[in-house]
Amino acid sequence: MANGLDDVVAADTVLSDVDGAGGHLTIRGHSLTELAGHWRYGQVVRLLFDGFFDELPGDAELEKAIGSARTDVFERLQPMLGQLAPLDIYSAMRAGIALLPDGEALADALRLVAAPAVLTPALLRLTRGEKPLPPDARADHAADMLKMLGGPSTPALAKALDTYLVTVCDHGLNASTFATRVVASTQAGLTSAILAGLGALKGPLHGGAPGPVIEMLDAIKASGDAAAWLRGEIARGERIMGFGHRIYRVRDPRADVLKAVVRRLGSRKDTGSRETGSRLAFAETVEQTALDVLRVAKPQRSIQTNVEFYTALLLEAAGFPKEAFSNVFAAGRVAGWIAHAREQQATGRLIRPQSRYVGPVPDLVA
Ligand code: CMC
């Protein structure tokens, strides 16, 4: 068995397939490019939940129900937000989600879908000394996230954020999805399972990378020499954030989808587009330099751009500060976690692997 379980297939799933050699992502029978930019997040939630909940309504009804769930979450958690806000934004969101009922019904699932989208803007506003803005239950999910944030919320930005949420909604048996399925296999409630996913997502080797991508771009800009900066990091044993993947040996297809979104934003005449355009141009140069440096430094491994590199640019353009990028990742991935939790319960058994004991043995004579 490989350290890191690379060679272990731990679940059968109908939800998504990551083709690491071909660079393709399939989500429930649809290619990523078929969904991203074409389906709204609410529609993808329905696609993922289909068959895993009794009485799932149609697209329009489900999107309305997600809107009502945003209002429900806001009303339930608003009294506690002041106590959560001093924590770092990811821990504050996780703590808020932990306060939600730990049930198995569709209503419980929709509250969990709504929670990161509601908590993240509310907590960001509180940390800036501003009052949280309540959700608009009739608005589109991504557009409402931007409205609750209170910054610029053009249709183009809302569409960009919606495309992002769809792009990251599910991705095979990644670390957070596996953690979610382990907890779901014990028949703990959905909130418990989602909290496991949130814990795993936080780390920089998984969903915590896009904030550090911005720090890297800023540090490289300040240094004035991308190649030297990147070589220095690798010489110190550091990882280059936004590059490499356990499954993809070619470019992560999500990176291209998100890059195209950022390019479209950068070419618009809306506020902020000029900064987005020049940020993108700089990032593209850094990306190419990083790929060249990694090819020389790690010739035995194909290390390519992953989803987090262009996630960072997209979420920055949408008005989120880098500390909140992983929260927004969670706002997209939560639908996949819930579907996997339900699938695990419907088709799987308790997940309980074994370990090999390599510690000292007791002295049996004494
Ligand atoms: N920068 C420098 N070296 C790297 C990188 C990187 N980004 N990625 C892999 N390597 C090297 C690593 O140092 C090791 O080298 P050596 O054999 O000389 O010790 C070799 O590649 C294999 O490393 P590994 O950790 O066994 O490889 P992995 O393919 O399992 O790693 C990864 C996957 C995502 C943990 C890793 O590529 C990484 O740390 N990337 C940077 C963080 C990042 O971008 N995370 C977001 C991942 S994508 C979001 C998601 O889908 O979860």
Side-chain angles (χ1 to χ4, degrees):
M1 184 197 67
N3 180 5
L5 305 185
D6 310 33
D7 53 354
V8 175
V9 176
D12 284 337
T13 184
V14 297
L15 293 167
S16 59
D17 181 50
V18 181
D19 170 1
H24 302 296
L25 170 60
T26 301
I27 297 173
R28 250 194 149 171
H30 300 270
S31 70
L32 172 65
T33 43
E34 212 182 316
L35 298 177
H38 305 288
W39 289 43
R40 289 186 304 280
Y41 184 65
Q43 296 175 290
V44 171
V45 171
R46 195 184 184 290
L47 177 72
L48 291 169
F49 283 12
D50 194 18
F52 295 118
F53 291 94
D54 296 336
E55 296 161 30
L56 196 64
D59 279 353
E61 287 308 308
L62 189 72
E63 288 185 69
K64 271 193 211 153
I66 294 172
S68 304
R70 288 197 302 276
T71 304
D72 182 6
V73 167
F74 187 78
E75 286 170 359
R76 280 171 192 261
L77 298 182
Q78 194 187 17
M80 274 75 89
L81 290 176
Q83 281 161 283
L84 301 178
L87 298 170
D88 71 82
I89 180 94
Y90 196 86
S91 304
M93 173 187 72
R94 194 181 51 202
I97 291 173
L99 297 169
L100 294 173
D102 204 6
E104 292 290 350
L106 180 61
D108 299 299
L110 295 184
R111 267 193 297 271
L112 289 164
V113 168
V118 169
L119 286 167
T120 304
L123 289 162
L124 282 171
R125 287 183 64 83
L126 275 175
T127 52
R128 296 197 300 240
E130 296 162 351
K131 212 166 159 264
L133 296 169
D136 171 359
R138 288 158 312 163
D140 176 75
H141 193 61
D144 204 23
M145 271 180 90
L146 293 178
K147 274 170 78 178
M148 287 186 274
L149 198 57
S153 171
T154 63
L157 285 179
K159 171 93 177 163
L161 181 60
D162 191 40
T163 304
Y164 170 73
L165 297 176
V166 168
T167 300
V168 300
C169 70
D170 199 41
H171 200 242
L173 205 58
N174 57 84
S176 59
T177 301
F178 183 51
T180 301
R181 286 187 79 123
V182 170
V183 173
S185 84
T186 72
Q187 311 221 332
L190 280 173
T191 299
S192 297
I194 285 354
L195 287 169
L198 283 166
L201 188 77
K202 186 181 183 199
L205 300 192
H206 188 7
V213 165
I214 293 293
E215 285 156 19
M216 172 178 80
L217 291 176
D218 290 344
I220 290 176
K221 182 145 237 165
S223 82
D225 186 342
W229 191 94
L230 290 160
R231 277 193 221 104
E233 286 295 291
I234 291 174
R236 277 191 294 282
E238 299 291 343
R239 304 268 169 128
I240 307 304
M241 291 291 134
F243 295 86
H245 199 273
R246 174 63 62 84
I247 307 291
Y248 293 120
R249 294 280 72 94
V250 295
R251 205 176 155 80
D252 182 336
R254 301 169 298 174
D256 285 331
V257 167
L258 299 184
K259 181 177 175 173
V261 173
V262 179
R263 176 164 289 141
R264 268 197 301 279
L265 283 179
S267 65
R268 292 181 64 89
K269 300 210 164 30
D270 301 336
T271 329
S273 63
R274 193 167 319 138
E275 293 100 274
T276 303
S278 63
R279 187 70 150 166
L280 175 63
F282 177 66
E284 282 178 311
T285 327
V286 170
E287 180 190 10
Q288 194 47 58
T289 311
L291 291 171
D292 294 342
V293 167
L294 283 165
R295 196 170 4 247
V296 173
K298 307 276 173 185
Q300 71 288 6
R301 190 154 186 100
S302 169
I303 301 177
Q304 304 294 327
T305 317
N306 69 43
V307 64
E308 306 292 36
F309 192 76
Y310 287 103
T311 289
L313 268 70
L314 191 155
L315 297 185
E316 184 182 62
F320 290 94
K322 63 181 188 312
E323 317 78 72
F325 288 176
S326 304
N327 294 48
V328 188
F329 193 166
R333 182 56 57 84
V334 66
W337 289 335
I338 293 167
H340 275 273
R342 299 293 296 182
E343 184 182 55
Q344 177 64 37
Q345 289 171 337
T347 62
R349 292 170 68 218
L350 171 72
I351 297 175
R352 203 298 184 196
Q354 298 183 50
S355 49
R356 188 180 320 125
Y357 183 65
V358 293
V361 288
D363 183 353
L364 293 179
V365 180

